[in-house]
Amino acid sequence: MLIASSHHSQYFHLIWVSLLFLFRSQSVCAVSKAMGYCKAPCVFLLCLFISFCLPRQLLADEVDKNLTAQLFIDASEQSSRPIPQTLFGIFFEEINHAGAGGLWAELVSNRGFEAGGANIPSNIDPWSIIGDESSIIVSTDRSSCFERNKVALKMEVLCNTDGTHICPSGGVGIYNPGFWGMNIEQGKSYKIVFYVRSTGAIDISVSFTSSDGLQTLSSTNIKASASDVSNWTKMEVLLEAKETNHNSRLQLTTSKNGVVWFDQVSAMPLDTYKGHGFRNELAEMLADIKPRFIRFPGGCFVEGEWLRNAFRWKASVGPWEERPGHFGDVWMYWTDDGLGYFEFLQLAEDLGALPIWVFNNGISHNDQVDTSSVLPFVQEALDGIEFARGDASSTWGSVRAAMGHPEPFDLKYVAIGNEDCGKKNYRGNYLKFYDAIKRTYPDIKIITNCDGSSLPLDHPTDLYDFHVYTSANNLFSMSHKFDRTTRQGPKAFVSEYAVTGKDAGTGSLLAALAEAAFLIGLEKNSDVVHMASYAPLFVNSNDRRWNPDAIVFNSFQVYGTPSYWVQRFFTESSGATLLNATLQKDSSNSLVASAITWKNSEDGQTYIRIKVVNFGSNSVNLQISVDGLDPNSVKLSGSTKTTLTSANLMDENSFKEPKKVAPNQTLLEDAQEMSALLRPHSFTSFDLLKESVSLRITEDDSSLVSSI
């Protein structure tokens, strides 16, 4: 706490006298004296703002006065411009088990027994057997009733409840541990669905248990006569958990002799995000970013190492039981494709975001379709657009309608391929897709893989894709990357950016600060950059294929890395108004800053938000000046300061300390509480509330009255 000295008092007295002088000087303005007020010049607000913003630390003798900077903000309408409504969003790729075992709330891994391949016998991993070979024999065959996924599990039970070979206590059967343990919580209900057939009557126990099977969390029995299950039959039960266990498993057991087949075994919590199958706490992390778009489903996931393993949207729609699933050979794991094309479109709608569909253009990492043969792939893309946008009576629109969404989705953007620019057939294939889509859907915005930020493109497009993964210093310097980009022609979509390598760890403060500076640069260049998204979005801590990531989770925990928290600083930028903000620095080149005005939809108030990154190792004394505001209509009050920093540049969050590096917000109730002393290695945001105000001077000018 700094004690006010005599020179402090003299300083504030001087400000007050200056303000009175300015108001008196305006008493001669051409305004009716009967009104009792007149407009003060903009310099009045400037002085008022400086007096508001100057912190007590500025007056302290111990501050190093050489480390100073000035931020000049022109808030006039003439120098401001609107930021695109779509500027900041999210990019989802099926990587790190982001969807399967993550955002998609399905608890069963390899629910259709297809992960081991179409040939039998096959591997049923992670399913395991309860009981020894004398009591049970488990195998796979191709007897399923689903044409696109024929593999089913066959269970021969050799023991019984009586006779010479009695089953062990609890019976024999199979269990599934899910994705590194199922999170089963007391009081919550779970819907279990599976298909079964048998040569005789069945008596099957469906249970959630601990990982060793010793603790039963919930259980029920399903009994059916031989005639009821002689053909494939769908069974559904609800299990309500009596206890909590974060490392649970699902068991199907019996003590009844006979042969039983299982297929398409699913376990889903009833409580999912907006009832659409998304894991609540993960979807809420996305909602808190307020994304204006979601790019999906990849990424390299779209391409595949080989085309035969690329994501195919038609195989991911329709009833979940009929989806064949596929092996993602880039990130090397199986997905049942419960999180399919329809679900991505639904997620975008649930988040209030525009969907951006990335589809394969006939090119993978290792093989590609010749342009002369690419038309079937073009038709695949056209069919996909019809699925999203077509009338419920159209061929593919009717499939969407049958899935419960008769109204079209708001698909306005598509990306032709991912990171394929420069490959032999990309340009030729791209033009085939471009012409066909524009001919049928002229309003759809098309995104090319080729970077147009430095040189003109040799093909038509609406937006060009820009990806950058680099060191912290490089990304910080790239805050000016688009300063010199031509303002003519297609706009930039920075769909993948992040600090990687040793600077990033698994999500460091250092990485986040560089990314914050880069985003400020994109915000200031939003006349040419129309979209931006971090990558990757999610990582299951049990399967880190890529570091770092924005959101880290396991079966029951979740936290945001510092990079995630940086994105929270930009939640109000899309659709806001960019103000002209200029930094003048004496000795520090470590600062990057921007300013916007935005309207809070919750309280209806308008704010000025000033964001500043201090990338250096010294504190910086920041003086802020604002010009171009009418003092008769604006008052600055009710402000907040939010800072992201930590004791060490390489500090990270964890399950143990999920908010070790997280924003800290303080309320600035008066000028004395607001500080513009920027801490080393920090990201600071000032939200300044603009309120309507009428300033009035009495007839003798002896006092100043403010009435809101």
Side-chain angles (χ1 to χ4, degrees):
M1 178 68 72
L2 200 64
I3 306 300
S5 63
S6 60
H7 70 273
H8 295 167
S9 300
Q10 292 170 3
Y11 169 77
F12 287 110
H13 178 72
L14 179 61
I15 291 256
W16 181 248
V17 171
S18 299
L19 294 179
L20 289 178
F21 174 79
L22 286 169
F23 267 79
R24 287 178 182 275
S25 69
Q26 292 303 303
S27 61
V28 296
C29 66
V31 179
S32 171
K33 289 185 178 180
M35 297 297 293
Y37 69 94
C38 63
K39 286 190 176 181
C42 291
V43 68
F44 159 72
L45 185 62
L46 176 59
C47 291
L48 177 62
F49 189 75
I50 291 176
S51 70
F52 181 80
C53 287
L54 280 177
R56 281 173 288 181
Q57 287 90 332
L58 275 177
L59 303 175
D61 293 333
E62 64 268 22
V63 171
D64 184 352
K65 295 180 180 179
N66 292 322
L67 291 176
T68 62
Q70 287 184 304
L71 178 62
F72 296 97
I73 299 172
D74 184 351
S76 64
E77 187 174 340
Q78 305 93 287
S79 65
S80 64
R81 60 172 172 79
I83 296 173
Q85 295 283 348
T86 57
L87 184 55
F88 293 118
I90 55 178
F91 163 47
F92 181 97
E93 176 162 19
E94 182 58 88
I95 180 177
N96 307 318
H97 274 86
L103 181 60
W104 189 240
E106 173 63 65
L107 296 175
V108 176
S109 176
N110 188 20
R111 66 185 179 190
F113 307 103
E114 303 290 332
N119 296 322
I120 55 168
S122 59
N123 188 358
I124 63 171
D125 187 69
W127 290 92
S128 295
I129 301 170
I130 301 171
D132 59 29
E133 294 176 358
S134 67
S135 300
I136 183 173
I137 298 173
V138 173
S139 60
T140 53
D141 64 21
R142 293 184 54 80
S143 66
S144 174
C145 59
F146 300 109
E147 288 303 317
R148 292 197 295 179
N149 42 12
K150 294 299 295 182
V151 177
L153 182 136
K154 180 181 179 182
M155 188 171 79
E156 298 179 65
V157 180
L158 308 177
C159 57
N160 212 334
T161 55
D162 52 23
T164 58
H165 193 177
I166 298 176
C167 290
S169 175
V172 296
I174 54 175
Y175 72 86
N176 189 288
F179 301 89
W180 301 281
M182 298 180 180
N183 181 37
I184 304 302
E185 297 182 340
Q186 184 178 7
K188 292 191 175 181
S189 295
Y190 302 83
K191 183 179 180 181
I192 316 300
V193 178
F194 62 90
Y195 288 76
V196 63
R197 74 180 180 95
S198 178
T199 55
I202 61 171
D203 184 355
I204 297 170
S205 176
V206 182
S207 309
F208 284 125
T209 74
S210 57
S211 60
D212 57 10
L214 299 179
Q215 176 194 25
T216 300
L217 309 173
S218 185
S219 183
T220 191
N221 274 61
I222 293 179
K223 297 181 179 182
S225 65
S227 60
D228 289 335
V229 290
S230 59
N231 295 311
W232 283 105
T233 304
K234 183 178 183 179
M235 298 292 183
E236 293 187 22
V237 296
L238 279 180
L239 291 181
E240 181 179 338
K242 308 304 180 186
E243 297 183 61
T244 294
N245 190 308
H246 303 307
N247 188 24
S248 306
R249 69 191 200 187
L250 176 69
Q251 293 188 172
L252 301 175
T253 57
T254 185
S255 295
K256 191 173 185 60
N257 179 272
V259 182
V260 183
W261 286 263
F262 292 109
D263 198 12
Q264 298 302 326
V265 183
S266 169
M268 288 279 282
L270 285 188
D271 181 22
T272 60
Y273 188 70
K274 297 193 175 181
H276 290 143
F278 308 108
R279 181 171 158 183
N280 266 323
E281 63 271 37
L282 300 190
E284 286 164 0
M285 291 281 282
L286 302 184
D288 288 342
I289 299 176
K290 298 182 181 179
R292 295 303 181 94
F293 66 83
I294 174 171
R295 176 180 182 245
F296 67 87
C300 298
F301 182 73
V302 170
E303 301 167 275
E305 286 294 328
W306 300 92
L307 281 171
R308 63 177 174 266
N309 291 320
F311 177 80
R312 300 300 177 95
W313 77 265
K314 287 182 179 177
S316 76
V317 299
W320 61 267
E321 304 97 325
E322 298 176 11
R323 302 181 191 184
H326 80 288
F327 179 72
D329 61 354
V330 176
W331 307 120
M332 301 300 290
Y333 60 88
W334 175 265
T335 60
D336 290 314
D337 289 334
L339 180 58
Y341 183 41
F342 176 89
E343 286 74 23
F344 283 116
L345 292 167
Q346 184 65 65
L347 177 63
E349 184 175 273
D350 289 347
L351 294 173
L354 289 171
I356 300 179
W357 179 35
V358 185
F359 53 73
N360 189 288
N361 67 104
I363 298 175
S364 76
H365 288 180
N366 291 298
D367 60 341
Q368 49 188 298
V369 175
D370 190 81
T371 299
S372 63
S373 306
V374 82
L375 287 183
F377 286 79
V378 174
Q379 188 59 50
E380 188 93 348
L382 292 172
D383 290 346
I385 297 172
E386 182 181 275
F387 176 90
R389 294 181 34 149
D391 186 87
S393 62
S394 64
T395 300
W396 287 103
S398 64
V399 177
R400 181 199 69 240
M403 295 180 70
H405 202 288
E407 296 301 317
F409 288 107
D410 194 18
L411 181 64
K412 296 179 179 178
Y413 295 86
V414 297
I416 301 175
N418 172 74
E419 296 180 346
D420 292 327
C421 187
K423 294 180 180 177
K424 176 185 174 183
N425 295 331
Y426 182 70
R427 186 178 183 278
N429 289 4
Y430 172 90
L431 290 173
K432 293 286 188 181
F433 282 92
Y434 182 91
D435 292 342
I437 293 170
K438 285 295 187 181
R439 189 164 52 247
T440 310
Y441 302 98
D443 63 306
I444 282 189
K445 303 296 184 185
I446 295 178
I447 304 162
T448 177
N449 291 178
C450 299
D451 175 18
S453 63
S454 301
L455 296 173
L457 296 171
D458 63 356
H459 54 275
T461 192
D462 297 298
L463 297 103
Y464 58 85
D465 212 348
F466 182 90
H467 296 182
V468 57
Y469 298 100
T470 187
S471 67
N473 283 336
N474 282 347
L475 196 64
F476 178 82
S477 68
M478 287 181 69
S479 62
H480 299 288
K481 162 66 183 175
F482 292 93
D483 290 359
R484 293 168 295 279
T485 296
T486 177
R487 268 46 194 167
Q488 307 301 316
K491 304 304 180 183
F493 178 17
V494 184
S495 66
E496 299 183 32
Y497 73 87
V499 171
T500 54
K502 65 180 182 180
D503 289 346
T506 58
S508 69
L509 171 65
L510 175 61
L513 294 178
E515 290 156 5
F518 181 64
L519 291 185
I520 285 177
L522 299 186
E523 185 177 77
K524 297 182 77 168
N525 284 286
S526 55
D527 56 330
V528 68
V529 179
H530 277 198
M531 295 178 171
S533 51
Y534 179 91
L537 186 59
F538 284 116
V539 59
N540 187 313
S541 62
N542 296 284
D543 187 37
R544 287 185 179 270
R545 307 277 167 158
W546 185 284
N547 282 316
D549 309 90
I551 300 169
V552 184
F553 65 90
N554 57 25
S555 71
F556 69 103
Q557 296 170 298
V558 60
Y559 67 86
T561 62
S563 296
Y564 170 82
W565 290 111
V566 160
Q567 295 175 65
R568 294 281 291 269
F569 280 75
F570 293 85
T571 55
E572 311 301 341
S573 293
S574 300
T577 299
L578 181 72
L579 304 181
N580 189 351
T582 305
L583 274 168
Q584 291 189 0
K585 297 157 282 192
D586 291 342
S587 62
S588 174
N589 292 315
S590 66
L591 301 186
V592 177
S594 69
I596 64 171
T597 59
W598 61 281
K599 188 171 184 178
N600 190 324
S601 59
E602 294 180 2
D603 61 18
Q605 301 282 5
T606 300
Y607 293 81
I608 294 177
R609 175 171 290 178
I610 301 166
K611 296 188 289 292
V612 190
V613 173
N614 181 4
F615 200 60
S617 57
N618 293 302
S619 296
V620 176
N621 227 336
L622 183 67
Q623 299 179 39
I624 305 172
S625 299
V626 177
D627 195 9
L629 292 176
D630 183 351
N632 272 4
S633 62
V634 174
K635 177 185 176 183
L636 300 174
S637 63
S639 306
T640 59
K641 173 185 174 183
T642 306
T643 304
L644 181 72
T645 190
S646 192
N648 190 300
L649 261 180
M650 296 308 294
D651 279 350
E652 301 184 359
N653 294 330
S654 63
F655 292 127
K656 185 178 180 180
E657 295 181 277
K659 291 189 177 180
K660 181 176 183 178
V661 187
N664 178 48
Q665 186 178 85
T666 56
L667 182 64
L668 300 171
E669 296 180 349
D670 56 55
Q672 296 301 312
E673 290 190 13
M674 182 169 181
S675 174
L677 184 66
L678 304 176
R679 294 176 61 184
H681 304 131
S682 65
F683 183 23
T684 305
S685 172
F686 302 96
D687 273 348
L688 309 173
L689 174 61
K690 293 168 59 179
E691 293 181 341
S692 175
V693 67
S694 174
L695 297 174
R696 187 178 301 271
I697 301 177
T698 62
E699 288 189 7
D700 62 1
D701 289 338
S702 60
S703 64
L704 178 64
V705 180
S706 174
S707 59
I708 297 176

